[in-house]
Amino acid sequence: MFGVVPKSIWNKVNPADENNLCSWALRCLLIEDGNRLILVDNGNGDKQDAKFFSHYHLHGDDTLDKSLAKYGFHRDDITDVILTHLHFDHCGGTIRRDGDRLVPNFKNARRKKQLLEQPPHGS
């Protein structure tokens, strides 16, 4: 779970269950700045199939849409999406399934990602 850090170290702080899984919270950051509504990361999303989600044992039924609505916003209100990095649990909500198609989840947003995730030109 923690890359090259041995399980014997991280398991003390975040113990795995009987299925060798850990519980994690997926939180996004919403920033209001003047007329901009900036979303930093956007979680797993929900476009994946049941087999994919069976590996993660998600808890509860919270969604990004429900969380935005709680504060009076809709995904179409988002003006900017910043992705800290490109792991599925940070950027999986960038697109959603619309029938058989995958479409942008934030139709009015500019998307940005951390430049360190981008390979140099010519690579």
Side-chain angles (χ1 to χ4, degrees), residues 1-71:
M1 188 66 211
F2 294 97
V4 298
V5 178
K7 182 179 179 183
S8 60
I9 294 174
W10 62 257
N11 199 51
K12 295 173 186 173
V13 179
N14 294 299
D17 67 11
E18 65 277 359
N19 296 313
N20 204 30
L21 299 174
C22 298
S23 286
W24 296 100
L26 301 177
R27 294 190 178 95
C28 306
L29 177 64
L30 186 64
I31 302 167
E32 289 182 83
D33 182 28
N35 63 350
R36 306 215 69 79
L37 192 60
I38 304 162
L39 181 64
V40 179
D41 289 340
N42 53 53
N44 285 334
D46 60 3
K47 66 192 166 301
Q48 299 87 347
D49 62 15
K51 181 178 179 183
F52 174 89
F53 284 117
S54 73
H55 296 286
Y56 297 98
H57 296 278
L58 301 179
H59 302 284
D61 63 351
D62 286 336
T63 66
L64 184 57
D65 284 339
K66 286 182 186 178
S67 296
L68 288 170
K70 179 178 174 181
Y71 295 99

